[in-house]
Amino acid sequence: MYISLSDKRGFFKDNISALTQNVKNVQPILDELKQKSFHTEMASNVRAEKTPQEQMRKILESTTTKAAAEALFQALLIHEKDLMKELTESD
């Protein structure tokens, strides 16, 4: 399913609860984001959070640009394929 760039930030806002509660592969997602859009300091801040839920919430709070939203969306499609399918098909 194709979602335009402007819709991706809205998608994250609309699905923040489902994403924070259900994303389990936070570290591989963070590794991809670090390569594409996240600064080392932000990645360190995310890694400092104790639970995957806190880490995912920190990632979502830090996704403020179109480029970051695109990178996060693509990483989620790779590492959380089933969850993303569920969320995009329910919209």
Side-chain angles (χ1 to χ4, degrees), residues 51-83:
T51 67
Q53 292 86 3
E54 292 170 339
Q55 291 175 338
M56 192 62 208
R57 184 170 299 281
K58 182 69 83 175
I59 289 172
L60 290 166
E61 289 171 355
S62 304
T63 304
T64 57
T65 66
K66 288 181 180 181
E70 176 66 27
L72 176 56
F73 194 84
Q74 294 305 318
L76 286 165
L77 288 174
I78 293 167
H79 298 288
E80 293 287 345
K81 188 184 308 183
D82 292 338
L83 175 61

Side-chain angles (χ1 to χ4, degrees), residues 8 12 19 23 25-38 56 59 63 67-84:
K8 288 185 174 88
F12 295 138
L19 290 165
V23 170
N25 297 312
V26 178
Q27 294 307 316
I29 291 168
L30 185 57
D31 290 341
E32 286 204 31
L33 293 176
K34 191 175 170 189
Q35 291 175 6
K36 296 178 182 174
S37 62
F38 265 41
M56 192 62 208
I59 289 172
T63 304
E70 176 66 27
L72 176 56
F73 194 84
Q74 294 305 318
L76 286 165
L77 288 174
I78 293 167
H79 298 288
E80 293 287 345
K81 188 184 308 183
D82 292 338
L83 175 61
M84 290 299 285

Side-chain angles (χ1 to χ4, degrees), residues 39-50:
H39 297 286
T40 303
E41 181 181 348
M42 180 49 65
S44 295
N45 290 340
V46 171
R47 290 189 203 284
E49 298 294 337
K50 294 185 181 356

